[in-house]
Every structure is written in structure tokens, then in C-alpha cells.
């Protein structure tokens, strides 16, 4: 893009959602810029990278399931395209997931999830405790049963973010390493932002994709400000020595005393244990209590974790929305679009979000798969594509 030309699109936020939006927009021929002081950062620095459309299914989230599955289906091609373009390994593994139960209550919960999965036409298989341990010998003897879901895969979100940044740069996206402080509205249209150093960045369309910070951009009219809130997640990283073979072969997860815990083993030896879920505002402190809770619950699942080196503790902020689903597409303010509120599914929803946003930026209309996720559902009037 020529430095003097006003870009067609300015993306505010360089996490994985902002980056994929910018990359796909640039691929469609739109002159695209992005503003973020630390592109490639955000919640993906912390996320474990489970692609868990089936094991994270919840009652009442059927529309979200459709979007999650649409994105999961895109993942193999998306990962292959990004790897080929950038030469980067994304740590994408089709290793499957095992959700296990430790007591009778957990088992009842998991049975309910299994029934919901079956009603939704999803592929999952009930296993006895013994069958779970045959698949994963490091599991505790007390595991009572589990659900094997071979279609729930994983990716390394840090590698994904780095590759998306490279892909953006190669596609000609202008990356401004600066913070967008205020939306500029001219007449009744969003026309750009002012950055923290006072620079004005103009654009034909502005996409607000700043994760949990999306509700905080000054200058956005109150009726289109996205209702996202930060939901803190603490995560622990351990290292699995290779010498005795893999510690775990696939992602293992459970609900222990009402808290979700998951163990995500990577091929590079990293074992990610996540995650707490805390409504603590903007606090990102790693606490003794959070780490204790994760290690205690993970230890109940796989007692051998206590032997592994502890390499990292982190905390990040998920962008939660009132219905746990993302906000995608135009707002009531012309020229302002949203790609935010992905909550627990940001990594999974990255491929479909890129496609949806590129479609809406080039045509002005939301594709079918994204219509339930229009920001209009929270009160703002927007345009959507009319059925043919
Ligand atoms: N999807 C996992 C999490 O948000 O913790």
C-alpha cells in the first residue's frame, strides 16, 4: 500500500482476530492497515489453543456451535495455507481430546454432555475408566469414565499469532506499532482513529478487534460500544521430558469441583494447564491461589505432573460477551465494524472470523454463517445481507 493512500480498512487490535481480519482483507485486494503497540500479543499469548467445538459445547449455544464447527472445518486448510505462506510451523495437531470424570457427579455431567453432543449430531465416544487409562496411562486410577472426541484438535496460539503477523506483512498490511486512543467520527461515519502520539489514521472502514479492550475505545458512540468484558484466565506451563515417551498423547480435560481444567500436550514438550475463569476486571496478576487450583486439579487427573519442571505462569483476559458469542460485522455507525467478544473460542474461531470479516468488508453484508452474531442482537441497528 502506498504510504499516502488512505487505506480501505484500518483494524484496531493486533491479536489473532485483528491479524486474521487484516490478512484476509488484504488478500481480497483491500488496502489495509492495523494499529497495535504489540501486534501478535493479546489473549493468544496465554491461551492453550484447544480447538474444542465438541468438548466445550454448552446448552443453549446451538448457534455458536454452528460457527465453531464451521471454523473447525476450515482449520486444516487454513493452517496449511498459513504454513506454506510463512514457512512457520503452527503446532497444529489433530490428536483429539479426552474429557474425563473423577467422581459420580462429574460422570453424570459428562453423560449429559454426551447426550447433548449426540442430539447435536456430533461425534464422541463414551469410554470406561479403564479404556481412558489404556489411551492415557498417566491418568489417575480414580478416573471413572470419559468422552473420546477425536475431532477436537489443538494449535499453538503463539505460533499462530506470529505466523499471522508475517502473513499480514507479506500481504502488504501496514502495521502501525501504536495504540489507537480515539475513534474519529466525521458527520455520521467512522473515518479513522487518533493514536496515543496524536497521529490521525484515516480509513474507509474501521474494524474494532481489540479483544477485551474493545469496549474502551474513546469516541465510540455509546449505542455501538461493544458489551465485552475481561474474563481473567490463569495458565501454567510445564515441560514434559521426552525420554519416557509422551506424558500425554492428546488433550485431557475435566470439570473438577465445578472448575474446568485442561492439559494440552504439545509436540515440542510443552504441557499447558489451564485455565481459571475469574471476573476480576482488568487484573492480570498471577496468584498463588490460581496456580494452586490449576495444579491441584491437574494433579487429580494426572498425578505425575508434580515431577515436571514448571516453566511459566501467565494470566490473560478473554473478551467475554453477554451471550458468550462473538460480535461480527457492521454496527449502527457507518464505517465501524466489530470483530470481538470471542470469549473462550478465539483461537478456534480465527479462520471463520477472517473469512466473515473479509466478506463483509468487501460486500457490506454478513454471510449466512455469521448472521446470528451481528452486533444488532445487543440493540444496535445494522445492515445484513437479504436472503436470495
Ligand atoms: N477455551 C478455553 C478457555 O477459555 O479457557
Amino acid at each position: 500500500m502506498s504510504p499516502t493512500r488512505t487505506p480501505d480498512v484500518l483494524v484496531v487490535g493486533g491479536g489473532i482476530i485483528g491479524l486474521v481480519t487484516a490478512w484476509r482483507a488484504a488478500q481480497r485486494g483491500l488496502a489495509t492497515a492495523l494499529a497495535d503497540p504489540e501486534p501478535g500479543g493479546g489473549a493468544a499469548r496465554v491461551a492453550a489453543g484447544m480447538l474444542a467445538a465438541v468438548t466445550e459445547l454448552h446448552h443453549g449455544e446451538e448457534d455458536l456451535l454452528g460457527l465453531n464447527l464451521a471454523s473447525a472445518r476450515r482449520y486444516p486448510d487454513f493452517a496449511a495455507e498459513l504454513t506454506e505462506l510463512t514457512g512457520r510451523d503452527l503446532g497444529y495437531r489433530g490428536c483429539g481430546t479426552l474429557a474425563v470424570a473423577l467422581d459420580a457427579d462429574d460422570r453424570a455431567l459428562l453423560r449429559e454432555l454426551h447426550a447433548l453432543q449426540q442430539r447435536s449430531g456430533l461425534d464422541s465416544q463414551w469410554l470406561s475408566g479403564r479404556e481412558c487409562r489404556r489411551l492415557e496411562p498417566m491418568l489417575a486410577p480414580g478416573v471413572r469414565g470419559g468422552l473420546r472426541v477425536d475431532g477436537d484438535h489443538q494449535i499453538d496460539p503463539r505460533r499462530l499469532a506470529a505466523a499471522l503477523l508475517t502473513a499480514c506483512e507479506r500481504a502488504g498490511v501496514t502495521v502501525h506499532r501504536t495504540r489507537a486512543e480515539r475513534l474519529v467520527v466525521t458527520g455520521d461515519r467512522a473515518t479513522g482513529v487518533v493514536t496515543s502520539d496524536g497521529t490521525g489514521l484515516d480509513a474507509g472502514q474501521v474494524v474494532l478487534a481489540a479483544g477485551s479492550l474493545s469496549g474502551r475505545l474513546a469516541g465510540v458512540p455509546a449505542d455501538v460500544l461493544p458489551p465485552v468484558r475481561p474474563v481473567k484466565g490463569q495458565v501454567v506451563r510445564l515441560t514434559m521430558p521426552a525420554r519416557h515417551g509422551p506424558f500425554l498423547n492428546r488433550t485431557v480435560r475435566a470439570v473438577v469441583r465445578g472448575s474446568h481444567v485442561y492439559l494440552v500436550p504439545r509436540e515440542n514438550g510443552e504441557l499447558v494447564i489451564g485455565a481459571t475463569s475469574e471476573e476480576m476486571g482488568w487484573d492480570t496478576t498471577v496468584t498463588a491461589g490460581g496456580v494452586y487450583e490449576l495444579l491441584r486439579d491437574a494433579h487429580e487427573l494426572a498425578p505425575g505432573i508434580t515431577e515436571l519442571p514448571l516453566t511459566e505462569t501467565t494470566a490473560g483476559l478473554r473478551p467475554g460477551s453477554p451471550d458468550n458469542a462473538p460480535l461480527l460485522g457492521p454496527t449502527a455507525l457507518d464505517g465501524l465494524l466489530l470483530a470481538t467478544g470471542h470469549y473462550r473460542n478465539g483461537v478456534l474461531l480465527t479462520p471463520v472470523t477472517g473469512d466473515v470479516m473479509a466478506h463483509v468488508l468487501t460486500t457490506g453484508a454478513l454471510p449466512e454463517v455469521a448472521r446470528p452474531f451481528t452486533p444488532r442482537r445487543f440493540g444496535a441497528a445494522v445492515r445484513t445481507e437479504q436472503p436470495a
Side-chain angles (χ1 to χ4, degrees), residues 66-67 69 86 95 106 131 160 224 248 263 272 293 299 311 324:
L67 192 70
L69 290 173
T86 63
C95 58
D106 300 343
E131 287 168 326
L160 172 63
V224 291
L248 292 174
L263 287 74
V272 187
E293 189 185 300
H299 174 257
T311 36
N324 301 337

Side-chain angles (χ1 to χ4, degrees), residues 48 50 52 56 233 235 253 260 262 274-276 318 343-346:
M50 287 180 299
E56 283 212 4
V235 167
R253 55 184 302 152
H260 289 268
Y262 42 82
T276 64
R318 307 174 183 89
Y343 190 37
R344 300 182 71 95
N345 296 303

